[in-house]
Amino acid sequence: MKDSGREAGRAGLMAFAIALALGMACGLHGLRAAEAGVATARADNGRTSCSPVGPGPALALAWQFDSGLPRPAWVGEARGSLWQKIETSLVPRAADDLAPVPVVTRDAVVLGTTLDGLFCIARPPGAIRWSRWLPAPVRYAPVVVGDRLFVGADDGVVRALDMASGVTRWERPVPRPSPWLPGNQRLVSPVPIRTGMLVSGSTLYVGAGLFPIEGTWLMALNLADGSERWSVPLGNTSPQGYLVEAGEDVLVPNGRAAPVLHRRSDGSLRRALASANGTLAVVSGTESFSGPGASGAFTGSSTAAREAKIISYPGRHLAVSPGTSCLANEREVLALDRDALRANAGDVARAVRWKTPLAGATALAIGGDHVFVGHTNAVSVLGLADGRNVAVLKAPGVVAALAVDATGVVGSTQDGRVIAWNRTGTPGTGEAPVRLAAERAAVGHARLTPAAAPPDATGERIRRALGPLGLRRGWGLWTGTGTPDATAASVLAGNEFSWVFAVPASEAEAWREHLGLHGWLGHRASVVARAPDGSVPVVGGIFNLVLADALEPAEARRVVCPPPSGRELR
């Protein structure tokens, strides 16, 4: 059994190597993004995770930023699958929000967080340019095009912001405004944005929706004003992952289902690819790769040929350069020489450029002549030509995402810390790295429950109401009057409920900022804007406790859970 498994692994490796040799990594699609001034996750529109120019190995810690403890949508996977005949634990296939994914431009780093934050950090050496707090989690990285930043969130809204100031230029619900509902332990739109957006030319492509019963869509928007160019329903699929440019098509990853090609001209379905499921898809030339599948393997296929041969290679991370394909699994990092594969009819033994043992890789990127591998407490820098370990950058945790360019390397950890290493000699880079704090009270890693809030009438009302309910955790709705600095701590103290503050639209941003700066937004609290008629834009019957001071009686009865699980206070 061991020998047959080893032979199967060799066969899978050979098939994957042959497929990798056929593509033109960091090719046409990535160059289009770079030439158009687009900064996006995984370096380019092909999601190759390859920057043609890197910073070199001589790097120094420049700054650190604590973005808050992430709250991923999906935690863990099943311990096996009888249907797929898999007896070991499945590989997480929707894990793109384990850490904030940094996007680098010439003079800034931008990132969104699952705690509803959006940050722009000037570089080098590192200073917060602006921050925004959105109504819902940002699970996929923003896209920067020139002087505009585009971001989608779990509230089902695409926003265009000014890169210099963070001011909103336009926003558009996709496909339409809808009452929010509980999802992934948060209140979200029934059509949250769970794809990384793709910008090509003057068009922005976005997938919306998570629950097929509520509807899922692929849409194309005008980059200038957000107006719709086309939209198509996706039926029973759930788009999750970074959208990928594939020639005249857009490749849509679908989480636990296979990726699908749609025409960029009108959104019409071209075909599904017979390849692994997962949220990671890469396009290089006419070759596509997706994974990591249920058991931790990428498969490769052709975006052009319907009957393309399917190949497989065990691994979780992939980055491709013009001459080399780099892959990482739980044990090693492997580099394959494409030219050698072609010259030797796919003989893998004569095409392996190098293998470097490195356990537990959690992120992978190519920058110029080097490969950057994130793992626990470090980023290892390997030579692209020989795999030699030339530097180790220390990191405070498990590095789950990387971005590389000529200035340096930016990584983020699973506990929400963002770290920048700049090229040695870059202004502001030295032995005393800047610790960015955004004038906040210990973002995210502060105590999530106010421990010393002074007793007041609001806190006492909540304490008395929770006793008869007999609930340790639940959903609470506050609709009273008052400022966030005078009210929020009193509502949150002394209980473990998740609270939604429903406030007038004119006050919503101030509430989000206050809660965000104290580390409560996303963990203990959310903010929604009440409609002009005073109603709360949520589905009915979801709150265990409603402080209904500012609600009409009929609206309060609509949103509270039926007895004995719900109670209304006035």
Side-chain angles (χ1 to χ4, degrees):
M1 289 295 291
K2 290 183 178 180
D3 289 340
S4 62
R6 191 175 296 116
E7 290 302 317
R10 291 195 188 110
L13 173 58
M14 178 175 291
F16 192 72
I18 294 170
L20 289 176
L22 299 176
M24 295 274 301
C26 274
L28 177 60
H29 310 314
L31 292 175
R32 281 179 182 169
E35 291 169 357
V38 177
T40 189
R42 293 186 59 86
D44 54 47
N45 281 357
R47 313 298 182 182
T48 63
S49 199
C50 170
S51 174
V53 180
L59 297 161
L61 183 62
W63 51 262
Q64 296 186 43
F65 173 58
D66 184 355
S67 71
L69 188 65
R71 200 173 182 190
W74 310 106
V75 180
E77 271 282 2
R79 289 176 291 180
S81 172
L82 293 175
W83 177 68
Q84 295 169 290
K85 298 181 180 180
I86 299 174
E87 297 180 359
T88 57
S89 295
L90 303 187
V91 172
R93 286 162 285 173
D96 295 324
D97 60 349
L98 293 178
V101 176
V103 172
V104 294
T105 73
R106 181 183 57 82
D107 63 353
V109 176
V110 296
L111 57 109
T113 78
T114 54
L115 304 181
D116 311 356
L118 184 64
F119 302 95
C120 179
I121 301 170
R123 67 193 290 251
I128 295 177
R129 183 179 293 171
W130 53 260
S131 61
R132 287 283 304 274
W133 303 95
L134 301 184
V138 179
R139 301 197 183 277
Y140 283 87
V143 182
V144 178
V145 185
D147 62 354
R148 297 289 174 90
L149 176 148
F150 302 89
V151 64
D154 268 6
D155 62 346
V157 176
V158 174
R159 293 172 173 85
L161 279 62
D162 183 85
M163 265 295 287
S165 64
V167 172
T168 299
R169 295 306 182 190
W170 58 257
E171 60 181 48
R172 178 186 176 86
V174 289
R176 60 184 181 278
S178 302
W180 292 20
L181 46 73
N184 301 124
Q185 301 179 329
R186 295 292 307 276
L187 275 187
V188 301
S189 165
V191 283
I193 295 174
R194 295 288 178 90
T195 65
M197 297 181 295
L198 171 70
V199 171
S200 183
S202 61
T203 303
L204 181 148
Y205 303 90
V206 59
L210 178 65
F211 317 104
I213 194 171
E214 300 286 348
T216 56
W217 284 266
L218 180 65
M219 300 185 69
L221 306 179
N222 186 319
L223 205 62
D225 58 12
S227 58
E228 181 181 316
R229 290 190 166 160
W230 52 256
S231 66
V232 294
L234 297 179
N236 291 325
T237 60
S238 176
Q240 295 182 77
Y242 287 97
L243 301 182
V244 187
E245 186 173 359
E248 299 304 313
D249 300 329
V250 55
L251 179 59
V252 183
N254 287 301
R256 290 172 173 81
V260 176
L261 285 169
H262 290 261
R263 293 176 177 85
R264 289 197 291 120
S265 58
D266 59 8
S268 58
L269 175 66
R270 187 179 294 276
R271 62 186 174 91
L273 295 182
S275 54
N277 53 31
T279 60
L280 176 57
V282 176
V283 169
S284 172
T286 60
E287 293 293 322
S288 69
F289 309 93
S290 64
S295 56
F298 284 101
T299 61
S301 184
S302 172
T303 59
R306 182 175 294 273
E307 302 299 328
K309 182 180 179 180
I310 305 301
I311 49 81
S312 179
Y313 176 75
R316 299 190 183 186
H317 307 283
L318 168 68
V320 289
S321 79
T324 306
S325 298
C326 293
L327 304 111
N329 54 35
E330 293 82 359
R331 302 174 302 280
E332 64 186 8
V333 181
L334 170 72
L336 303 177
D337 186 307
R338 294 173 178 272
D339 291 336
L341 276 170
R342 294 186 183 98
N344 293 285
D347 185 341
V348 174
R350 300 174 66 180
V352 173
R353 180 169 289 172
W354 49 261
K355 290 183 183 179
T356 298
L358 201 160
T362 49
L364 184 67
I366 296 173
D369 296 330
H370 294 89
V371 182
F372 299 84
V373 187
H375 46 100
T376 301
N377 296 327
V379 174
S380 293
V381 186
L382 312 180
L384 180 59
D386 56 13
R388 185 170 58 91
N389 197 328
V390 296
V392 176
L393 311 175
K394 293 183 179 180
V398 178
V399 179
L402 289 169
V404 182
D405 68 358
T407 298
V409 178
V410 181
S412 61
T413 66
Q414 290 184 5
D415 65 355
R417 289 177 169 85
V418 183
I419 312 100
W421 299 270
N422 287 349
R423 190 176 62 247
T424 302
T426 302
T429 301
E431 296 182 0
V434 178
R435 293 185 180 272
L436 306 179
E439 300 179 356
R440 64 185 57 202
V443 174
H445 297 282
R447 289 170 300 205
L448 301 182
T449 299
D456 63 5
T458 299
E460 183 61 20
R461 288 175 69 200
I462 294 172
R463 187 188 68 79
R464 290 200 305 266
L466 289 179
L469 282 175
L471 298 175
R472 180 182 174 189
R473 294 187 177 93
W475 285 93
L477 175 67
W478 181 89
T479 65
T481 59
T483 60
D485 55 342
T487 305
S490 297
V491 173
L492 296 170
N495 65 84
E496 297 182 42
F497 266 42
S498 295
W499 285 93
V500 175
F501 294 88
V503 302
S506 60
E507 301 175 12
E509 194 154 338
W511 274 84
R512 292 186 188 112
E513 182 177 12
H514 177 86
L515 293 166
L517 292 178
H518 283 79
W520 302 328
L521 193 68
H523 282 291
R524 290 289 317 281
S526 300
V527 178
V528 299
R530 293 203 299 267
D533 64 0
S535 62
V536 183
V538 299
V539 298
I542 63 173
F543 293 107
N544 303 105
L545 181 61
V546 175
L547 274 65
D549 298 344
L551 287 185
E552 294 292 331
E555 178 66 359
R557 289 193 296 270
R558 184 186 71 84
V559 299
V560 72
C561 288
S565 299
R567 186 173 182 185
E568 172 191 345
L569 294 182
R570 287 190 180 276

